[in-house]
Amino acid sequence: MDDLPDGHFRHLLLPYTGEVTQVRVPARGFGSDFAAVIDSEKGRFFVKAMFNHPGGRRDSILRERAINPYVRPLSPALLWSVDEDDAGWFILGFEVIEERGLDFEPGSPDLPLAVDLLNRAAALELPDVARDWTEDRWDAYVGSEEELVFLRGDALLHTDINPSNLAVGNAGSWIIDWGWPTRGPAFIDPASFVVQLISAGHSPESAESWAAGCTAWANADPKAIDVFAAADLRMLRAIADRRPDEGWLGAMAEAAREWADHRGIRRTER
């Protein structure tokens, strides 16, 4: 198939798919070197692949493979994987679900479903495989070393909450693309939901009212949420400044600013 990366990739798939008859690349990206729904003589699979080189992207797909048994049925099942030790590819083959991403805009009927999904995720236990995956992406952006304690916890986090990764279909609803699960305070996923809602057009008050339906948010120390909001603003602003051509990053940073202002905690952005 012309839509497969190369003949070697096709050869790696062969034991799991047999002859590939169709490749459908999704419109939205998955942060992968290759992602597509594949029809084959052995069935249909969602195939996600990274070049097998050391580094963050390879580490991400390794985490996604490791966490999959512990996030079902909230996430599609991983059916098989290919791991070439000597360069090449790392490939995951998932069950195919018919789904669409949720609509986060004000008035959307999907919003209660998003809250339900976040509560289902918060109910997942932290497996042993994730105990060393300490969430530290916001560490460099806190106001002081003493604030780091608010960003530590023992919950399993998805950490990429957005309208594409919360999905619904005729067969159910899911949180997909577990590309960087971590161990941290449970409120971080609902807090990330707040920023996404503001970016989708909600006022900060409206966004927080939806987050209030999330158990992890309701049980959080307001000071911890303040620390996260300030750090998230600094982080998103720094990323947007480094990548000025990607307008969505600037929009997310602006949403984080609105939220921080609402909470009365805006500080100097780094």
Side-chain angles (χ1 to χ4, degrees), residues 47-100:
V47 175
K48 183 176 182 178
M50 300 280 198
F51 294 122
N52 196 356
H53 302 309
R57 288 168 64 84
R58 178 182 180 275
D59 291 347
S60 172
I61 207 166
L62 287 170
R63 285 198 185 193
E64 188 163 8
R65 182 180 70 169
I67 204 63
N68 185 261
Y70 305 100
V71 296
R72 302 179 196 171
L74 194 58
S75 174
L78 176 64
L79 302 176
W80 48 264
S81 66
V82 178
D83 183 3
E84 283 195 308
D85 292 332
D86 185 16
W89 289 91
F90 195 106
I91 309 172
L92 303 182
F94 293 91
E95 67 174 327
V96 173
I97 58 172
E98 299 297 336
E99 49 82 13
R100 64 166 176 83

Side-chain angles (χ1 to χ4, degrees), residues 16-190:
Y16 306 97
T17 64
E19 180 183 355
V20 174
T21 56
Q22 186 177 28
V23 178
R24 291 177 292 155
V25 177
R28 60 189 173 94
F30 285 85
S32 307
D33 295 312
F34 176 82
V37 174
I38 287 179
D39 290 302
S40 72
E41 67 176 311
K42 293 190 178 182
R44 299 178 69 223
F45 306 97
F46 174 66
V47 175
K48 183 176 182 178
M50 300 280 198
F51 294 122
N52 196 356
H53 302 309
R57 288 168 64 84
R58 178 182 180 275
D59 291 347
S60 172
I61 207 166
L62 287 170
R63 285 198 185 193
E64 188 163 8
R65 182 180 70 169
I67 204 63
N68 185 261
Y70 305 100
V71 296
R72 302 179 196 171
L74 194 58
S75 174
L78 176 64
L79 302 176
W80 48 264
S81 66
V82 178
D83 183 3
E84 283 195 308
D85 292 332
D86 185 16
W89 289 91
F90 195 106
I91 309 172
L92 303 182
F94 293 91
E95 67 174 327
V96 173
I97 58 172
E98 299 297 336
E99 49 82 13
R100 64 166 176 83
L102 300 190
D103 179 359
F104 280 10
E105 293 182 354
S108 168
D110 291 345
L111 295 174
L113 181 56
V115 172
D116 177 67
L117 282 166
L118 288 168
N119 281 331
R120 287 167 60 194
L124 296 172
E125 293 187 8
L126 180 77
D128 287 343
V129 71
R131 291 200 173 275
D132 292 335
W133 300 346
T134 301
E135 178 53 68
D136 60 5
R137 274 166 288 186
W138 287 271
D139 286 12
Y141 301 97
V142 297
S144 67
E145 289 293 319
E146 291 72 23
E147 291 182 344
L148 286 176
V149 67
F150 293 108
L151 300 183
R152 296 292 181 263
D154 289 321
L156 175 65
L157 304 177
H158 180 278
T159 73
D160 192 13
I161 301 300
N162 66 62
S164 294
N165 286 342
L166 274 62
V168 64
N170 291 334
S173 56
W174 302 271
I175 299 182
I176 61 176
D177 199 13
W178 288 77
W180 203 253
T182 57
R183 173 191 181 187
F187 74 83
I188 281 184
D189 279 347

Side-chain angles (χ1 to χ4, degrees), residues 194-207:
V194 167
V195 179
Q196 289 285 338
L197 289 176
I198 296 170
S199 182
H202 290 257
S203 67
E205 293 88 349
S206 171

